[in-house]
């Protein structure tokens, strides 16, 4: 009676932590400020991607309005700073909670409408936010947007410069990764996966599907809100079109390419989309073609994303090198994320 | 694999960075940077910046360089493509300011990007020129005063009420004789984004100040390609002139559709040079006015313009819908060089003081100077193509004050 | 002394103009294995769906241990102690078998009495799927999927389990194994109600049979009597008797 040996949950966290340690060491290598700047942008996206991974990877709900939730966080930060003098560290939880609240509202229609129809609704919601912001007059800065003047400090010392801010962003990426890991390996994560896999069955086992779907939205909003505040304090100028259709599509793209179900997926997706055009010096049209190809390749060949495909490839390579017999029915996402 | 790529990329850039950090301002070179959309959605305006700035830099260097004190400096131009992406624009600016340590930056044409870039250039005391009239929202005597957050930021485009006023006057004065009867009603069609929203409010006021009735402003989503619903609505209002505002590519897509629907007896196209009208062999059965930003190529009433543009295109710049945008930067490179020479130093504060006090003879105007809010004043050229193809141009002076 | 744990009174269900249930009275006694049969269109599926919370009835009541549970939502039904399997043999396909059962266990209701299988491993042992614990449920052969479905339903600690066509698609050997499992359930304090149209299966499993036709009950009693009832024979004329 051979039980398939499954990896412990900690084993799934270690690769992500290792990568984060490597990323934290990047400033020590003396990269150019251009690279640091792009890395910070990537890190900000990655925080949002972890939220989208909970919604899409775990619960199976695809949202094409995730950038709008990031926008809620960003605008909250900018308006709080402008009107109430509230700075970075207090804006973080507030922006996060407000984005989560808005996310709950977006989630409600998902109880009635599912599949493709719902994806279109999330898309429409994203556009709706853009319209609200554009027509919000002086309060939201309308189409011109808002500027953020307050500095970021860490225990009294300025932390808004590139290197300190990079560490702040990496810290939040790490927190997001650990939070995701906790969710994935908890009974809550299992419940979300049950909903993803078979809603009717999940309900018959006592799972309140509707409440959990909204809960998943709220969780995704928490991550997105943090990302938005980080973004506002980095760009220092925000406007509605930074949070509309295309940015939402890009986020969905990043999470699909990187892999929505593995812990390294958001990191891979975020870095790839930020740096590949940079390294290959592609213009936006070429970049979009490349992403389109990547997405098609992922859908056809690596449905669990790039990272999962990479792991599978390495595993297959390892087995061939060690010379063991091929194992039947190797599960992919199931064992790699559970105890 | 990905971490390997990251490591090798970091290593490569480490080497590059060390090469850069050594230089700062090399002995006889002044570095300036251009950040513009050389690719992506804004490329039609974007590519004109490096072309215009590049032409000015070449002229300065060919004439010997910039003489400061008893040393002569050549200007080194660093071009950066922002790919119409804000994160890339910011990364490019960080690179220019911190790694390359430029003395001045020109760009970008995108309002959002300029404001984000200014957050980096201003604390670093890098002199920053941008041709966005939307900068008027942040530039005022307090913000540009010494110690103010935009002390080193200059708006190289006239204030919007001036541009709108000059344009409205030009459009109406050229179209009225061509249409043959007084023009009373105008409908404005505009792309609904930051710049569109901002510009329209001024233009409508300018039209009304010139006596026009403006029953409606019709806004379309920026990526529209089928304008028929908007055009039909416009037609139902019986306008004498339909004004297409902003983003020459959209405008040239909309015009044939409008002509087909016979929306109005005359049209105005914002930001389309007569040069492009001729290049593409465009024609219409009704008079069409077009404004340039700020002076026209292909046909112009400005004598300097002809020389400038022949040099500009001879240097290899492509003939674009808004090639004239290059002038929003070209004149200011020369202006800046003159300011350095007058100040006798590269010190940013002394340079700004010089810029604030000088009058510069440029292509767009014989008398360019910055007001108390770092803004310039000059006319905007408008041309009109008659149905037969003949093009006439005029530059109407802007109003002295904003209409209310 | 056997008492009714589930009492269905005058249950009606209307779908637009179609009457699926025309007032059905039915009781499930504690510790029994009850069979509910009927040809297609008899309303047995609708009855099943109403009791499990998929549909709200148009009239009538469902009483569970005397408590009115009419119209409860699907996820609340397992919480009161009623479990069920699905006709189509449902599982969480992308997840390993053991995780399937673990999820079900994590949502089990708290029951006051001792329950025989409280861990995923115990449940898999009971249905005989321990060897396949690490396999993805989606690749299981059909017969094993059915067993998994029973394990999932049992994981929620029901005192009544409803089985919808539990042997459909199984071969004879698999059917016998299934019958063996189900027959053990009352000994562990779990009453069973099997809904099917397979009379042979009913004869193996049930002592009491209810027959539905066109949304009404036409027979209810010991299985041998029901199978000799002329009304029932008429309905199943040329059928599976």
């Amino acid at each position: 009676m051979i039980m398939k040996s499954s990896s412990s949950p900690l084993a799934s966290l270690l690769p992500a932590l290792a990568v984060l340690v490597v990323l934290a060491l990047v400033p020590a290598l003396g990269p150019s400020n251009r690279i640091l700047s792009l890395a910070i942008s990537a890190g900000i996206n990655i925080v949002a991607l972890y939220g989208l991974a909970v919604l899409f990877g775990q619960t199976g709900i695809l949202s094409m309005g995730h950038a709008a939730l990031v926008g809620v966080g960003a605008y909250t930060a900018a308006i709080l700073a402008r009107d109430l003098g509230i700075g970075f560290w207090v804006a973080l939880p507030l922006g996060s909670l407000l984005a989560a609240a808005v996310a709950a509202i977006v989630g409600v229609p998902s109880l009635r409408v599912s599949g493709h129809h719902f994806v279109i609704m999330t898309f429409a919601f994203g556009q709706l936010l853009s319209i609200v912001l554009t027509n919000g007059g002086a309060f939201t800065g309308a189409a011109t947007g808002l500027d953020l003047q307050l500095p970021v400090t860490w225990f009294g010392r300025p932390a808004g410069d590139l290197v300190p801010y990079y560490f702040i962003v990496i810290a939040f990426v790490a927190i997001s990764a650990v939070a995701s890991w906790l969710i994935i390996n908890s009974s809550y994560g299992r419940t979300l996966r049950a909903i993803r896999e078979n809603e009717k069955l999940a309900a018959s086992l006592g799972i309140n599907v509707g409440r959990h779907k909204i809960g998943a939205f709220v969780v995704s909003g928490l991550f997105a809100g943090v990302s938005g505040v980080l973004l506002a304090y980095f760009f220092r100028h925000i406007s509605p079109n930074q949070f509309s259709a295309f940015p939402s599509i890009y986020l969905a793209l990043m999470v699909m390419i990187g892999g929505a179900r593995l812990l390294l997926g958001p990191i891979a997706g975020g870095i790839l989309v930020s740096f590949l055009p940079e390294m290959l010096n592609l213009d936006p049209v070429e970049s979009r073609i490349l992403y389109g190809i990547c997405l098609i390749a992922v859908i056809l060949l690596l449905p669990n994303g790039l990272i999962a495909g990479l792991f599978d490839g390495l595993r297959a390579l390892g087995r061939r090198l060690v010379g063991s017999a091929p194992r039947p029915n190797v599960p992919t996402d199931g064992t790699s994320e559970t105890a | 694999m990905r971490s390997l790529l990251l490591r090798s990329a970091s290593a490569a850039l480490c080497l590059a960075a060390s090469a850069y950090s050594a230089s700062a301002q090399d002995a006889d070179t002044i570095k300036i940077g251009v950040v513009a959309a050389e690719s992506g959605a804004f490329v039609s305006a974007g590519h004109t910046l490096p072309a215009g700035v590049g032409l000015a830099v070449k002229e300065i260097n060919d004439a010997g360089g910039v003489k400061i004190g008893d040393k002569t400096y050549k200007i080194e131009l660093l071009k950066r493509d922002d790919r119409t992406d804000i994160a890339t624009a910011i990364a490019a600016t960080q690179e220019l300011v911190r790694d390359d340590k430029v003395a001045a930056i020109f760009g970008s044409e995108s309002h959002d990007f300029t404001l984000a870039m200014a957050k980096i250039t201003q604390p670093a005391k890098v002199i920053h020129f941008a041709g966005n009239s939307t900068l008027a929202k942040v530039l005022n005597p307090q913000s540009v005063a010494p110690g103010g957050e935009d002390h080193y930021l200059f708006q190289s485009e006239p204030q919007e009420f001036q541009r709108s006023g000059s344009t409205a006057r030009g459009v109406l004065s050229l179209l009225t004789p061509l249409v043959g009867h007084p023009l009373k009603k105008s409908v404005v069609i505009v792309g609904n984004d930051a710049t569109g929203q901002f510009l329209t409010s001024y233009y409508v006021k300018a039209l009304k100040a010139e006596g026009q009735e403006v029953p409606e402003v019709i806004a379309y989503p920026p990526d529209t390609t089928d304008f028929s619903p908007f055009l039909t609505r416009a037609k139902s209002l019986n306008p004498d002139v339909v004004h297409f505002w902003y983003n020459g590519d959209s405008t040239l897509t909309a015009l044939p559709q409008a002509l087909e629907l016979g929306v109005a007896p005359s049209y105005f196209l914002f930001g389309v040079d007569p040069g492009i009208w001729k290049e593409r062999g465009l024609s219409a059965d009704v008079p069409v006015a077009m404004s340039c930003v700020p002076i026209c190529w292909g046909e112009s009433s400005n004598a300097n313009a002809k020389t400038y543009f022949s040099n500009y295109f001879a240097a290899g710049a492509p003939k674009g819908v808004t090639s004239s945008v290059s002038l929003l930067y070209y004149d200011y490179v020369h202006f800046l060089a003159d300011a350095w020479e007058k100040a006798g130093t590269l010190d940013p504060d002394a340079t700004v003081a010089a810029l604030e006090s000088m009058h510069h003879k440029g292509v767009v105007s014989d008398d360019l100077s910055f007001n108390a809010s770092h803004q310039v004043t000059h006319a905007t050229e408008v041309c009109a193509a008659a149905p037969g193809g003949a093009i006439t141009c005029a530059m109407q002076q802007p109003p002295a004050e904003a209409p209310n | 002394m056997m008492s009714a744990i589930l009492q269905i009174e005058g249950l009606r269900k209307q779908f637009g103009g179609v009457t699926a249930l025309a007032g059905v009275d039915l009781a499930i006694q504690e510790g029994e294995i009850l069979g509910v049969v009927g040809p297609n269109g008899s309303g047995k599926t609708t009855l099943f769906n109403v009791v499990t919370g998929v549909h709200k009835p148009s009239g009538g009541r469902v009483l569970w241990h005397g408590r009115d549970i009419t119209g409860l939502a699907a996820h609340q039904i397992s919480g009161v102690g009623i479990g069920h399997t699905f006709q189509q043999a449902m599982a969480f396909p992308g997840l390993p078998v053991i995780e399937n059962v673990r999820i079900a266990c994590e949502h089990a209701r708290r029951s006051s009495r001792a329950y025989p299988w409280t861990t995923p491993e115990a449940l898999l042992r009971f249905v005989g799927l321990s060897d396949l614990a690490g396999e993805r449920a989606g690749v299981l052969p059909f017969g094993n999927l059915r067993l998994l479905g029973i394990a999932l339903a049992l994981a929620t600690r029901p005192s009544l389990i409803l089985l919808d066509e539990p042997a459909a698609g199984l071969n004879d050997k698999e059917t016998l194994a299934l019958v063996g499992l189900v027959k053990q359930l009352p000994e562990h304090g779990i009453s069973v109600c099997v809904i099917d149209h397979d009379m042979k299966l009913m004869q193996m499993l049930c002592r009491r049979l209810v027959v539905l036709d066109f949304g009404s009950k036409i027979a209810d009693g010991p299985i041998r009597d029901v199978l000799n009832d002329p009304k029932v024979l008429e309905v199943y004329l040329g059928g599976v008797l």
Side-chain angles (χ1 to χ4, degrees), chain A residues 182-237:
Chain A
L182 287 171
I183 291 174
I184 288 173
N185 289 289
S186 68
S187 103
Y188 179 63
R190 281 190 280 277
T191 303
L192 293 179
R193 288 197 287 283
I195 294 173
R196 176 190 82 200
E197 294 288 313
N198 192 328
E199 265 184 50
K200 259 184 106 179
L201 179 61
S204 79
L205 297 174
I207 294 173
N208 188 335
V209 172
R211 201 174 55 192
H212 277 100
K213 279 183 168 180
I214 300 206
F217 266 98
V218 167
V219 170
S220 81
L222 289 173
F223 285 88
V226 169
S227 172
V229 175
L230 291 172
L231 190 154
Y233 275 90
F234 179 57
F235 287 175
R236 300 206 158 260
H237 172 81

Side-chain angles (χ1 to χ4, degrees), chain B residues 180-191:
Chain B
H181 62 74
L183 305 170
K184 299 228 174 52
K185 220 196 276 190
S186 282
V187 167
V188 178
I189 301 184
V190 63

